[in-house]
Amino acid sequence: MTIKVVTTLLYFAVVFYLGYKGWKETKGASDYMLAGRRISPFVMAMSYGATFVSTSAIIGFGGAAGLFGFPLLWLTVLTVVVGVFISMVFFGKRTRRMGLALNCRTFPELLGKRYQSRFLQSFSGGIIFLFIPVYAAAVLIGICRMVEVSFGLPYTWVLLGVTAIVALYVVTGGLKAVMYTDAFQGTIMAVMMLVLVAYTYSMLGGVTEAHQTLTDMAHLMPEKLQKGGMLGWTQGAVPFSPLWLTIYTTIVYGVGIGVLAQPQLAVRFMTVPSDRELNRAVLYGGVFILLMTGVAFTVGALSNAVFFKEFGTISIAMAEGNIDKIIPMYIETMMPPWFSAIFLMAMFAAAMSTLSSQFHVGGTSLGHDIYARAMRTRVRAAGNAMAINQMGVIITILATLVWAWMLPPSVIARATAFFFGLCASAFLPTYLLGLYWKGMTKTGAKVSMVGGFSFSMLWLLFIMEKEASAIGLCQFLFGKATLVAHAAPGSWLHLLQWVDPNVVALPFSFMLAWGVSVFSTSLAEEHVEACWQNC
């Protein structure tokens, strides 16, 4: 406990120093929202990775790997290929250039100025502000569960304490403070994950022996999971069974594709001074994401073998049915005391790096894209743009705190996948086609964004089994958990309950964008040409 306290205090001392450094260098709204557009490739890549990979990935999806096994490694493949390479090379460069040419400070402002639409900026800002607290709450729950298990403190105390710490340097220091601390925190995370995977394999006798042990445990898969289609932790699930659909449509596809339209990640492309920094950031970011997600999912799956070897039970039983506690329990019970102390610091790093970015993007969406856009004249005259953004951050933090109290157990991975999928359905067609297609019109962008968002939410409320049942609106209106609940078991209609909204909503949103743009009036030719010349 002494080691934990000392390392935690040292960690926070560095974090607050970097937050102070960011505060000293923040002179205006551009510094607060875009870090002055002068960030180095290493800091940008580590901030991008640390924002992307948080306790939701390590604790939430790591816990999900404890339940479902190695199939989650397909998400690692997508996060490296799509989330780093495609995102930085094909989205990052054009986003940076267009953001600079149009003088954009936020992701919603980029969409609004690209299409010359105040509605698009405000509507996208509203989606971000309303729903990013759900994602942030998932990250907050992850670190709070880790501290709860590690220190034995009440969950409520931990929730309030962690929120207050992150709020202190995000509200005052802006994006510079966020990115400086992200780079430091990401470095800690990378070192700890290397130690974690090496120690786990050593406890099981090596890589080959560990995987064989886990394969031989297939008969221990819980009966409920077997009925859902699971064959084993290394074998995966029966194709098109309910759990196969959950793994590959919600976790792998929903998160792996949804990363392309994450506002807190896209804004980082606008913080570097040139394309050269983005090219260099691909290598840093690729290695970091591979290490973070690959290790978390591997160790989550192998925790079953370690727990069974030591205690005769599998991970979900050790965590008393809450998958969000699998990784914390594994660290506290199986790893050396010195490691659990330092890993706790790494989890603080993972949570705080992502939370700070989520609070920042949620606050600027409210302050800059909604309030300041609606009250543009008064804000400029008063010169208080930065204060308004800070107030937006505070409101976002409070909303996150409320969600963290309300959300049920085992929710981290689900809440994360929900936000990623929602962003893809609402933003990705407008964002991608706005970067690459001159024929994309303002009307097409509006219809696509509203249609994709609406379709995704309707699917979530009336088709998706877990979410629709928990919310209860479908039960209240129609007297059944989902609209397809009474379809013949095994039929394609019945299986739709486990298909992620993004699988259907994203193609629908793309069709709306293309179809409406083809038959609607284009934007002013000179505006489109100006965008393209600068890209």
Side-chain angles (χ1 to χ4, degrees):
M1 186 61 70
T2 301
I3 297 174
K4 290 178 182 177
V5 172
V6 171
T7 54
T8 301
L9 291 175
L10 287 173
Y11 163 75
F12 281 122
V14 176
V15 166
F16 283 122
Y17 166 73
L18 293 172
Y20 172 76
K21 177 179 171 64
W23 173 72
K24 289 288 287 183
E25 295 177 8
T26 298
K27 305 301 181 183
S30 181
D31 285 336
Y32 191 84
M33 290 187 279
L34 282 181
R37 299 185 192 266
R38 303 299 301 174
I39 292 297
S40 72
F42 175 77
V43 172
M44 182 271 174
M46 295 301 285
S47 179
Y48 182 95
T51 299
F52 184 13
V53 178
S54 64
T55 49
S56 65
I58 298 170
I59 294 178
F61 286 98
L67 197 65
F68 300 130
F70 285 152
L72 263 72
L73 287 171
W74 283 110
L75 177 56
T76 295
V77 175
L78 255 69
T79 54
V80 173
V81 175
V82 177
V84 177
F85 179 74
I86 292 178
S87 183
M88 290 189 181
V89 173
F90 295 100
F91 283 72
K93 293 179 181 179
R94 283 184 172 253
T95 300
R96 187 198 70 79
R97 297 174 201 164
M98 190 175 287
L100 184 61
L102 298 177
N103 191 28
C104 302
R105 296 174 178 177
T106 65
F107 179 71
E109 187 174 36
L110 177 72
L111 299 181
K113 287 189 174 180
R114 161 61 180 88
Y115 296 103
Q116 296 180 311
S117 170
R118 295 179 65 180
F119 170 81
L120 284 174
Q121 182 176 348
S122 299
F123 187 77
S124 56
I127 292 174
I128 295 167
F129 168 69
L130 289 175
F131 292 100
I132 205 167
V134 180
Y135 176 26
V139 177
L140 184 59
I141 290 169
I143 183 56
C144 291
R145 290 299 183 194
M146 188 76 203
V147 176
E148 177 191 24
V149 172
S150 184
F151 283 98
L153 296 173
Y155 176 72
T156 302
W157 292 10
V158 177
L159 198 63
L160 292 171
V162 172
T163 304
I165 290 169
V166 181
L168 186 59
Y169 72 84
V170 179
V171 172
T172 57
L175 194 57
K176 279 194 174 183
V178 169
M179 295 187 77
Y180 287 158
T181 53
D182 282 354
F184 165 65
Q185 291 160 341
T187 304
I188 296 174
M189 291 159 60
V191 174
M192 288 299 99
M193 296 305 275
L194 279 172
V195 176
L196 177 61
V197 72
Y199 200 87
T200 298
Y201 276 121
S202 69
M203 285 191 289
L204 293 171
V207 176
T208 303
E209 293 80 0
H211 291 195
Q212 187 60 53
T213 300
L214 192 61
T215 300
D216 295 340
M217 290 173 57
H219 64 284
L220 296 174
M221 181 68 67
E223 183 181 356
K224 185 177 180 181
L225 296 181
Q226 292 184 35
K227 289 181 179 179
M230 289 301 302
L231 299 172
W233 287 280
T234 61
Q235 297 90 338
V238 175
F240 300 103
S241 62
L243 290 181
W244 186 92
L245 291 169
T246 297
I247 293 169
Y248 289 102
T249 69
T250 297
I251 296 177
V252 176
Y253 172 79
V255 176
I257 300 300
V259 64
L260 292 174
Q262 290 298 295
Q264 72 276 17
L265 299 180
V267 74
R268 271 149 181 74
F269 301 143
M270 295 188 277
T271 64
V272 294
S274 70
D275 290 349
R276 182 179 59 183
E277 281 74 19
L278 287 172
N279 291 332
R280 294 176 179 176
V282 170
L283 177 61
Y284 297 132
V287 172
F288 182 81
I289 297 294
L290 175 64
L291 186 60
M292 292 296 101
T293 59
V295 170
F297 303 161
T298 300
V299 171
L302 291 175
S303 67
N304 289 283
V306 177
F307 280 138
F308 189 76
K309 177 183 177 181
E310 296 296 324
F311 303 107
T313 187
I314 61 174
S315 300
I316 192 65
M318 283 291 295
E320 301 176 337
N322 186 349
I323 66 173
D324 297 341
K325 287 187 175 183
I326 289 177
I327 296 298
M329 288 290 295
Y330 179 77
I331 299 300
E332 284 300 310
T333 57
M334 302 311 307
M335 300 299 291
W338 66 266
F339 180 86
S340 64
I342 301 176
F343 189 80
L344 176 63
M345 184 172 63
M347 289 303 95
F348 268 119
M352 292 175 68
S353 60
T354 302
L355 281 170
S356 59
S357 300
Q358 292 166 327
F359 293 161
H360 182 269
V361 78
T364 54
S365 292
L366 176 62
H368 183 73
D369 298 309
I370 299 175
Y371 180 82
R373 188 67 174 157
M375 308 292 289
R376 182 170 49 183
T377 303
R378 192 192 318 179
V379 170
R380 287 180 178 175
N384 60 350
M386 200 166 106
I388 291 171
N389 288 315
Q390 289 174 325
M391 183 57 64
V393 170
I394 293 171
I395 295 172
T396 303
I397 291 171
L398 294 175
T400 299
L401 196 58
V402 171
W403 276 110
W405 258 313
M406 294 172 54
L407 289 174
S410 300
V411 75
I412 295 176
R414 284 167 51 199
T416 302
F418 158 72
F419 184 75
F420 273 62
L422 183 66
C423 285
S425 300
F427 303 145
L428 187 54
T430 300
Y431 180 32
L432 173 61
L433 297 178
L435 294 176
Y436 280 97
W437 184 33
K438 292 183 180 181
M440 183 66 177
T441 67
K442 181 193 299 187
T443 305
K446 289 180 179 179
V447 173
S448 172
M449 187 179 293
V450 175
F453 169 76
S454 302
F455 196 102
S456 183
M457 291 302 298
L458 289 172
W459 191 279
L460 189 84
L461 293 171
F462 297 103
I463 303 294
M464 196 84 173
E465 190 267 339
K466 271 190 176 294
E467 283 71 15
S469 299
I471 296 170
L473 181 61
C474 188
Q475 184 71 44
F476 175 76
L477 294 177
F478 301 103
K480 47 187 177 182
T482 72
L483 294 179
V484 295
H486 300 310
S491 66
W492 67 268
L493 197 61
H494 187 259
L495 290 175
L496 289 179
Q497 296 177 96
W498 294 279
V499 174
D500 191 74
N502 196 36
V503 173
V504 185
L506 181 56
F508 177 71
S509 184
F510 266 111
M511 287 190 292
L512 287 176
W514 176 81
V516 174
S517 293
V518 169
F519 295 101
S520 61
T521 305
S522 297
L523 292 168
E525 189 69 22
E526 60 272 16
H527 174 73
V528 177
E529 284 301 324
C531 289
W532 251 253
Q533 287 172 8
N534 285 290
C535 284

